[in-house]
Amino acid sequence: MIMTFAEKILAKYAGEKKVEPGQIVTVKPDHLLMHDNAAPIISKIKPELQQYGVFKRSLPVIVLDHVIPAAGEKNALQHKQIREFVRTYKIKYFFDVGYGVCHQIIVEKGLALPGTLLLGSDSHTCSYGAVGAFSSGIDRTEAAALLLIGETWLKVPESIKITLKGQLHRWVTAKDVILSIIGDVSASGADYCSVEFHGAIARFSVDERFTMANMGVEMGAKNAVFPVDNVTMQYLTSIGVSKLKYKPLNPDVDAIYEKELTYSLSEIEPVVAVPHSVDKIKPVREVTGVEIQQCLLGTCTNGRVSDFEIAAKILKGKKVHRNVRLLILPSSRSVYLESLKKGLISIFLEAGGTILPPGCGPCLGAHQGVLAPGERCLSTSNRNFKGRMGCSEAEIYLASPATVALSAINGKITDPRKVKR
Amino acid sequence: MTVWKYGDNINTDMLFPGKYTYTCNTAEEIKPHLLEDLDPSFAKNVKEGDVIFAGKNFGCGSSREQPVLGLRAVGIIAVVAESFARIFYRSSINQGLLLIECPEAVRSYKVGDQVWLNIVKGTISVGSSTFSFPRLPNEILAIRDAGGLLPYTRQKLQQRKI
């Protein structure tokens, strides 16, 4: 049977030999992700939980990350309700305030493995394709239903094959690659589809694959995945996951795709997504000089050690421009700790940066770096929608850690290739 | 019936700003902020029985469900769009908000056109033209017929118990 990744994994979870795009299957995911929204989710099904309990205590993974530490009494109360739920139902996987962003935690703790299926009540659940898992976002109501019955329906998606060729130039990163692809296919170009990355993927670390899979939803994708290779396996070994614990599922070479796209990496240059849509992509050189008041370096898209290493190379011994607030947002406590040991945090602090606790921070506009009207933020996060950082009269530009770091020094958007060697 | 017409890529932040995601959860809390950053007149003037027409990729972005809950609570009968983002689409099935994917109907709509929906037949009339839209698969109709995903889940739990 010749199948794409999505067809293979959905066939496996549906107990079928073969499935086809458009077919509806019933699946039992390995894990269900929830974050601060676990509070409204469990409040929907209180009587049912009391009567039937949770389907399986190892199904949910709850990570408090969205508004942490609690910004107000309402958030604090929700966190408290979640902790009580975790205790009452003996939920196996709970990560309280400070562990990090849910998506990073899921991967870092080895909860997403090659050939597994995860659903989560967060749109960036698609990130786990970085390690060869099938993962997709759902709403709160569906998360509530899954907590009770452990299964749901999925439509087998059409698949898009993206082949990457060649090599990236210096200071051009995985973020520039994914932004360029989204600019090309548009914010709706992969609606309902499974996106597979092929070709020169061995050049991309799991961190970089994470950045790219994370943004799959920004082109409408149901999931985005990298086939499992030595890079994946070495990463998993490094976090203590034995090869015996997973069985990779890779697409067949001659699988049939709805669309096939090829990108030459050497032709990709540093880019930004300009307000207010992720598919409005421009080369950095075309917006050079645009003044910025805030820089956000981090998040689940670009808040890992390798991202910080790139930024630290640029920021070492330099000062952030006096008109700019540079916010550093590690994607997890272990990223924070490793960055600390490597001296990266000192570089950021000496440059004038502010380190935020590992979580979602200002990315969704609830706290810790909300913008004022007329302000502009250059961010390594994944969304630049109007109002996203809490103010509808502010602007958000998205870019790579390299572009953000150099721009923070200059106080205006700057091409990272201008770094003085 | 008022038709509210919007463009492509209407995202969840436009439908319901993220800054309220963890403080507004009930219909009453959500309603005043619906479409706040897209069309401030919407929340004030929307009435039971109104329809939204929109372009491609309606509901893209976050998985927050306040947009769906809110649109349903204010009485929007259906959102007719050229296409929908998938999480929003699923969420609408779960909450019982009717979505109609019909690019032809959207493209043919002009301000002032009368709109008629026939859910049973699966047709939508815009001005003098009538378009059909595909029937939902049985698995999904079962959720809708139960009154949404939670009632459907309760039915399943009761069956399992027996």
Side-chain angles (χ1 to χ4, degrees):
Chain A
M1 298 294 169
I2 297 160
M3 287 186 276
T4 63
F5 170 73
E7 288 158 15
K8 236 179 209 183
I9 197 151
L10 293 179
K12 178 184 154 189
Y13 277 77
E16 307 265 353
K17 276 201 174 123
K18 183 164 172 63
V19 294
E20 282 174 2
Q23 189 177 335
I24 292 190
V25 294
T26 300
V27 297
K28 285 189 166 66
D30 295 291
H31 287 299
L32 162 69
L33 165 80
M34 294 178 282
H35 42 67
D36 303 36
N37 64 16
I41 290 169
I42 53 183
S43 74
K44 285 172 187 285
I45 47 169
K46 265 195 183 145
E48 290 79 10
L49 279 170
Q50 278 166 3
Q51 193 177 349
Y52 304 99
V54 294
F55 173 73
K56 198 161 73 177
R57 67 181 195 92
S58 62
L59 175 71
V61 179
I62 305 178
V63 186
L64 298 188
D65 63 357
H66 268 54
V67 189
I68 60 98
E73 193 181 321
K74 269 194 171 180
N75 308 114
L77 180 63
Q78 288 180 352
H79 294 171
K80 188 179 171 211
Q81 288 164 343
I82 293 167
R83 291 183 194 109
E84 283 165 4
F85 166 76
V86 166
R87 271 196 299 274
T88 307
Y89 294 95
K90 300 185 170 61
I91 301 303
K92 193 171 172 191
Y93 300 107
F94 173 61
F95 302 93
D96 208 326
V97 170
Y99 272 91
V101 187
C102 56
H103 307 305
Q104 177 68 20
I105 296 304
I106 291 255
V107 173
E108 213 175 83
K109 300 288 179 193
L111 293 166
L113 293 175
T116 60
L117 192 155
L118 299 94
L119 296 173
S121 58
D122 187 278
S123 59
H124 294 106
T125 299
C126 55
S127 306
Y128 325 142
V131 289
F134 181 97
S135 55
S136 197
I138 52 170
D139 74 349
R140 294 174 178 182
T141 301
E142 195 163 349
L146 272 162
L147 257 184
L148 294 167
I149 57 171
E151 65 177 28
T152 192
W153 63 277
L154 287 176
K155 188 166 91 171
V156 179
E158 302 274 3
S159 296
I160 297 177
K161 180 178 187 173
I162 295 180
T163 305
L164 307 171
K165 285 191 168 163
Q167 215 166 345
L168 289 172
H169 289 295
R170 190 167 158 82
W171 301 117
V172 184
T173 69
K175 183 62 166 291
D176 300 297
V177 176
I178 191 64
L179 285 174
S180 301
I181 293 172
I182 294 168
D184 184 42
V185 304
S186 90
S188 60
D191 267 358
Y192 310 127
C193 291
S194 168
V195 169
E196 294 181 10
F197 294 100
H198 290 264
I201 58 163
R203 298 184 195 287
F204 292 90
S205 66
V206 166
D207 284 7
E208 294 170 306
R209 295 176 188 194
F210 198 135
T211 302
M212 293 170 68
N214 175 271
M215 294 197 70
V217 69
E218 308 308 332
M219 48 179 155
K222 182 172 206 149
N223 73 301
V225 68
F226 284 81
V228 175
D229 60 5
N230 283 334
V231 175
T232 331
M233 295 197 267
Q234 276 167 16
Y235 171 80
L236 291 170
T237 306
S238 79
I239 59 165
V241 176
S242 145
K243 279 182 189 166
L244 302 170
K245 280 203 159 172
Y246 58 89
K247 198 164 169 262
L249 272 188
N250 283 339
D252 293 314
V253 182
D254 38 8
I256 295 164
Y257 293 89
E258 155 96 346
K259 212 189 286 180
E260 298 198 29
L261 302 165
T262 302
Y263 294 92
S264 169
L265 296 171
S266 63
E267 285 170 22
I268 293 175
E269 58 176 316
V271 291
V272 288
V274 304
H276 298 286
S277 177
V278 185
D279 62 355
K280 281 192 185 165
I281 301 299
K282 286 189 177 173
V284 175
R285 57 186 163 76
E286 283 183 23
V287 289
T288 293
V290 171
E291 288 186 6
I292 46 180
Q293 290 75 41
Q294 181 163 294
C295 282
L296 175 61
L297 175 65
T299 75
C300 60
T301 315
N302 277 123
R304 282 166 285 279
V305 177
S306 55
D307 298 308
F308 288 171
E309 280 174 331
I310 294 172
K313 259 183 212 163
I314 296 170
L315 285 160
K316 190 171 186 181
K318 301 279 180 2
K319 290 281 178 214
V320 169
H321 193 277
R322 62 194 171 94
N323 294 345
V324 174
R325 288 111 45 196
L326 171 64
L327 307 179
I328 314 285
L329 186 57
S331 62
S332 74
R333 182 183 282 142
S334 42
V335 164
Y336 196 162
L337 193 58
E338 200 184 331
S339 304
L340 199 65
K341 287 178 184 161
K342 289 191 161 189
L344 309 176
I345 299 296
S346 314
I347 293 173
F348 298 146
L349 287 172
E350 279 161 10
T354 301
I355 320 290
L356 301 178
C360 301
C363 177
L364 72 152
H367 68 155
Q368 293 176 350
V370 167
L371 298 171
E375 285 193 325
R376 207 174 278 131
C377 177
L378 182 66
S379 172
T380 63
S381 56
N382 45 33
R383 271 191 193 134
N384 62 347
F385 297 164
K386 193 179 177 194
R388 175 81 181 174
M389 284 188 192
C391 172
S392 59
E393 291 162 65
E395 290 186 337
I396 304 163
Y397 285 65
L398 305 178
S400 75
T403 305
V404 170
L406 189 60
S407 305
I409 297 168
N410 291 341
K412 48 196 177 188
I413 297 178
T414 312
D415 192 319
R417 291 171 299 186
K418 297 263 160 64
V419 170
K420 292 188 187 89
R421 306 244 169 109
Chain B
M1 179 217 276
T2 303
V3 174
W4 300 83
K5 178 87 198 302
Y6 303 108
D8 290 340
N9 299 320
I10 301 302
N11 63 56
T12 46
D13 277 271
M14 292 170 172
L15 296 171
F16 182 81
K19 60 187 168 191
Y20 307 126
T21 319
Y22 296 95
T23 45
C24 300
N25 293 306
T26 65
E28 289 314 308
E29 287 169 332
I30 296 166
K31 279 179 184 177
H33 302 298
L34 274 178
L35 278 66
E36 187 172 280
D37 291 337
L38 174 69
D39 178 359
S41 74
F42 180 86
K44 282 186 217 123
N45 301 314
V46 66
K47 290 181 303 296
E48 180 97 33
D50 287 357
V51 172
I52 292 178
F53 270 55
K56 278 187 273 189
N57 208 26
F58 187 86
C60 61
S62 161
S63 67
R64 73 187 67 134
E65 66 184 22
Q66 286 96 334
V68 178
L69 273 168
L71 292 177
R72 193 148 185 258
V74 295
I76 289 288
I77 313 182
V79 183
V80 185
E82 291 186 43
S83 65
F84 294 94
R86 59 165 288 281
I87 300 178
F88 185 86
Y89 189 85
R90 285 181 87 83
S91 191
S92 298
I93 292 165
N94 297 342
Q95 318 290 339
L97 173 69
L98 179 64
L99 301 187
I100 297 172
E101 198 166 273
C102 190
E104 301 81 8
V106 173
R107 286 184 208 127
S108 88
Y109 175 78
K110 291 180 296 299
V111 179
D113 276 351
Q114 287 285 325
V115 174
W116 295 98
L117 278 176
N118 187 327
I119 315 273
V120 182
K121 275 197 191 163
T123 59
I124 174 167
S125 303
V126 178
S128 56
S129 316
T130 298
F131 308 92
S132 53
F133 52 88
R135 191 176 176 274
L136 288 171
N138 288 336
E139 292 89 336
I140 296 171
L141 285 175
I143 297 171
R144 205 182 70 186
D145 293 345
L149 184 63
L150 288 182
Y152 177 78
T153 303
R154 284 183 200 112
Q155 284 177 6
K156 274 199 160 179
L157 282 168
Q158 279 161 6
Q159 283 162 8
R160 272 188 197 177
K161 216 180 149 195
I162 299 161

